[in-house]
Amino acid sequence: MNRFGDRIQIRTDDVGGLPTATELLGDCTDGTAVYACGPAPLLTAIRSELVDRDNVELHFERFAAPPVVDGKEFTVSVASTGETVHVGADETLLSALNRAGVHASYSCQQGFCGTRRTRVLDGTAEHRDTLLTEPERDNGMMLICISRAAEGSHLTLDL
Ligand code: FES
């Protein structure tokens, strides 16, 4: 750590309080690349602060799943047990399964690592990821951490 000198600052919330995006970004001159990872409210604040800064390059990674946008409730069946789980409009399929005690491992929860690749045995998925290829989708795969059932569809998953 010492080799980085004053180029690195450690700021803890218990000492400095919650920082604002302005405080975190400091004197962010044109040409700066900003790398941020953390909870969604922090990243939203930083993105908002930089919205008109075309000459600042922002890279970010959330620590949690993004909020569900325009979600509709649906139900899903777990093929191995026959259990049916209700998925609320504002929760992910993955979180509904975990809430119901159906173990489903995950990593990024954002649809880019591929950990939660799951086969749909019945029903139609509404794909919200940018990872799966069309052949994978055509072959019945979906990412349950971010994708949902198509409107009016009930899913049966190979879990
Ligand atoms: S957990 Fe990473 S793609 Fe779903």
Side-chain angles (χ1 to χ4, degrees), residues 125-143:
E126 175 196 311
H127 296 282
R128 293 187 168 199
D129 66 282
T130 56
L131 179 73
L132 293 182
T133 63
E134 282 309 316
E136 287 175 310
R137 293 176 180 186
D138 292 346
N139 206 21
M141 302 308 286
M142 75 177 291
L143 297 177

Side-chain angles (χ1 to χ4, degrees), residues 94 106-116 131 143 145-146:
L94 175 66
Y106 59 87
S107 182
C108 73
Q109 300 183 72
Q110 297 170 60
F112 60 74
C113 76
T115 299
R116 225 26 282 174
L131 179 73
L143 297 177
C145 58
I146 194 159

Side-chain angles (χ1 to χ4, degrees), residues 11-24:
R11 177 191 166 127
T12 59
D13 294 351
D14 60 337
V15 174
L18 287 176
T20 65
T22 304
E23 290 171 327
L24 289 172

Side-chain angles (χ1 to χ4, degrees), residues 9-159:
Q9 293 178 8
I10 296 177
R11 177 191 166 127
T12 59
D13 294 351
D14 60 337
V15 174
L18 287 176
T20 65
T22 304
E23 290 171 327
L24 289 172
L25 291 167
D27 181 23
C28 187
T29 57
D30 285 351
T32 299
V34 174
Y35 290 80
C37 57
L42 170 79
L43 298 177
T44 299
I46 289 175
R47 293 175 75 186
S48 298
E49 186 77 11
L50 295 175
V51 72
D52 294 324
R53 300 287 309 275
D54 292 340
N55 293 324
V56 173
E57 193 176 297
L58 174 62
H59 306 264
F60 64 92
E61 181 178 344
R62 290 184 189 87
F63 282 173
V68 174
V69 176
D70 295 332
K72 305 277 189 297
E73 61 182 20
F74 61 98
T75 53
V76 58
S77 293
V78 178
S80 63
T81 63
E83 182 179 1
T84 297
V85 176
H86 176 265
V87 183
D90 60 353
E91 68 178 339
T92 66
L93 172 47
L94 175 66
S95 61
L97 288 169
N98 285 332
R99 173 177 46 74
V102 179
H103 175 69
S105 60
Y106 59 87
S107 182
C108 73
Q109 300 183 72
Q110 297 170 60
F112 60 74
C113 76
T115 299
R116 225 26 282 174
R117 207 177 292 249
T118 303
R119 182 172 302 284
V120 179
L121 300 175
D122 192 37
T124 304
E126 175 196 311
H127 296 282
R128 293 187 168 199
D129 66 282
T130 56
L131 179 73
L132 293 182
T133 63
E134 282 309 316
E136 287 175 310
R137 293 176 180 186
D138 292 346
N139 206 21
M141 302 308 286
M142 75 177 291
L143 297 177
I144 63 171
C145 58
I146 194 159
S147 295
R148 309 178 64 79
E151 191 161 356
S153 185
H154 168 90
L155 297 177
T156 301
L157 299 178
D158 188 14
L159 288 172

